């Protein structure tokens, strides 16, 4: 989890971009890296596999404030999407503070999305992490493509919600990122469920990229505070 550097008065947080191969994880990080000030970012590290790259860099956002006098440095990682790189994916999740799941909106990628989401839950559970209790957001990427599934279909598949069992939390909770929508809501059958925030994106043009990053960053800061 987050590490404190008392010498530089920085809290170091790790955010991992997870998802199926070629879904847009690398594109997200490359866009962010290209937009943040060179004076606030570290070097972009790229590890190439046969079909895609694993990226890493850190940066110090200037617009998120401080926590008890400490600045927050975010370390952003992508994981290789192919299932046969699972050992690498699991290793990168170690010590994670926040997760962004980048889903490929194309209808033919539905199975790959589901497989990757299940793999994320499995790998987090192996470390004893409860994804339902962590800063976690979903990005539906490639919204500009003609074969993109509807957001309703993607939500039903990847963000159906988990049951709320704590009576004190069985009340509507508004989604702070989407006016008029709720993160905690009651189903017609009576059960209360909670979903994670989601964002639509076209990572190649940058649409939705910073909205996604700011959301997970704020959730990480909230847990630290």
């Amino acid at each position: 989890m987050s590490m404190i550097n008392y010498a530089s008065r920085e809290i170091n947080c790790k955010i991992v971009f997870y998802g199926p191969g070629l879904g847009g994880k690398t594109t997200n990080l490359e866009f962010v890296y290209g937009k943040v000030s060179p004076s606030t970012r570290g070097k972009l590290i790229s590890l190439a596999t046969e079909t895609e790259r694993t990226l890493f860099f850190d940066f110090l956002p200037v617009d998120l404030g401080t926590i008890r006098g400490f600045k927050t440095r975010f370390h952003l990682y992508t994981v290789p999407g192919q299932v046969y790189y699972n050992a690498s994916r699991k290793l990168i999740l170690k010590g994670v503070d926040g997760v962004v799941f980048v889903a490929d909106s194309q209808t033919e990628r539905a199975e790959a999305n589901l497989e990757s989401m299940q793999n994320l839950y499995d790998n987090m559970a192996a470390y004893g992490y409860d994804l339902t209790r962590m800063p976690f957001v979903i990005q539906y990427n490639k919204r500009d493509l003609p074969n993109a599934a509807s957001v309703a279909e993607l939500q039903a598949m990847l963000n159906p919600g988990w049951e709320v069992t704590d009576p004190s939390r069985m009340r509507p909770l508004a989604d702070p990122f989407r006016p008029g929508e709720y993160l905690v809501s009651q189903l017609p059958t009576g059960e209360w469920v909670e979903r994670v925030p989601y964002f639509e994106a076209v990572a190649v043009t940058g649409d939705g990229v910073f909205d996604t990053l700011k959301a997970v960053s704020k959730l990480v800061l909230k847990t630290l505070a």
Side-chain angles (χ1 to χ4, degrees), residues 166-182:
D166 181 354
S168 68
R169 301 187 69 247
M170 292 180 179
R171 59 179 186 271
L173 175 64
D175 185 339
F177 308 107
R178 307 186 77 85
E181 296 190 25
Y182 292 86

Side-chain angles (χ1 to χ4, degrees), residues 17-29 100-107 109 113 138-151 154 158 198-209 212:
F17 285 68
Y18 214 91
L22 307 177
K25 304 178 298 296
T26 297
T27 308
N28 266 268
L29 253 68
V100 176
F101 186 90
V102 181
D104 190 327
S105 290
Q106 297 177 96
T107 53
R109 297 295 288 160
N113 285 325
I138 297 175
Q139 180 191 92
Y140 297 127
N141 189 29
K142 306 186 183 181
R143 298 305 302 156
D144 58 325
L145 298 183
N147 57 338
S150 69
V151 170
L154 292 165
L158 300 173
Y198 72 91
F199 297 87
E200 296 181 69
V202 182
V204 290
T205 62
D207 289 351
V209 170
T212 306

Side-chain angles (χ1 to χ4, degrees), residues 102-159:
V102 181
D104 190 327
S105 290
Q106 297 177 96
T107 53
E108 60 266 31
R109 297 295 288 160
E111 187 175 337
N113 285 325
L114 281 169
E115 181 184 58
S116 187
M117 182 67 83
Q118 185 60 56
N119 178 257
L120 170 60
Y121 273 90
D122 292 345
N123 282 339
M124 293 290 279
Y127 284 124
Y129 302 154
D130 183 355
L131 198 55
T132 69
R133 297 285 177 224
M134 291 186 67
F136 177 37
V137 304
I138 297 175
Q139 180 191 92
Y140 297 127
N141 189 29
K142 306 186 183 181
R143 298 305 302 156
D144 58 325
L145 298 183
N147 57 338
S150 69
V151 170
E153 290 172 318
L154 292 165
Q155 282 283 88
M157 179 171 55
L158 300 173
N159 196 17

Side-chain angles (χ1 to χ4, degrees), residues 6-147:
Y6 288 95
S8 62
R9 296 195 67 78
E10 291 178 358
I11 301 173
N12 292 273
C13 301
K14 183 178 186 179
I15 295 175
V16 174
F17 285 68
Y18 214 91
L22 307 177
K25 304 178 298 296
T26 297
T27 308
N28 266 268
L29 253 68
E30 287 179 331
F31 185 82
V32 172
Y33 187 80
K35 291 294 182 180
V36 298
S37 170
S39 64
T40 64
R41 73 189 187 198
K43 186 178 180 182
L44 182 68
I45 307 297
S46 177
L47 303 174
T49 61
E50 288 180 18
T51 54
E52 62 180 336
R53 289 170 296 153
T54 296
L55 297 184
F56 155 74
F57 74 94
D58 65 280
F59 77 108
L60 193 67
V62 294
D63 58 345
L64 291 178
T66 61
I67 299 175
R68 297 175 188 171
F70 284 78
K71 294 174 287 187
T72 310
R73 181 173 292 277
F74 288 98
H75 299 254
L76 307 186
Y77 290 78
T78 64
V79 299
Q82 280 73 19
V83 70
Y84 46 83
Y85 291 118
N86 189 53
S88 298
R89 286 195 286 192
K90 186 176 178 182
L91 186 63
I92 291 170
L93 283 173
K94 190 171 185 179
V96 67
D97 294 292
V99 176
V100 176
F101 186 90
V102 181
D104 190 327
S105 290
Q106 297 177 96
T107 53
E108 60 266 31
R109 297 295 288 160
E111 187 175 337
N113 285 325
L114 281 169
E115 181 184 58
S116 187
M117 182 67 83
Q118 185 60 56
N119 178 257
L120 170 60
Y121 273 90
D122 292 345
N123 282 339
M124 293 290 279
Y127 284 124
Y129 302 154
D130 183 355
L131 198 55
T132 69
R133 297 285 177 224
M134 291 186 67
F136 177 37
V137 304
I138 297 175
Q139 180 191 92
Y140 297 127
N141 189 29
K142 306 186 183 181
R143 298 305 302 156
D144 58 325
L145 298 183
N147 57 338

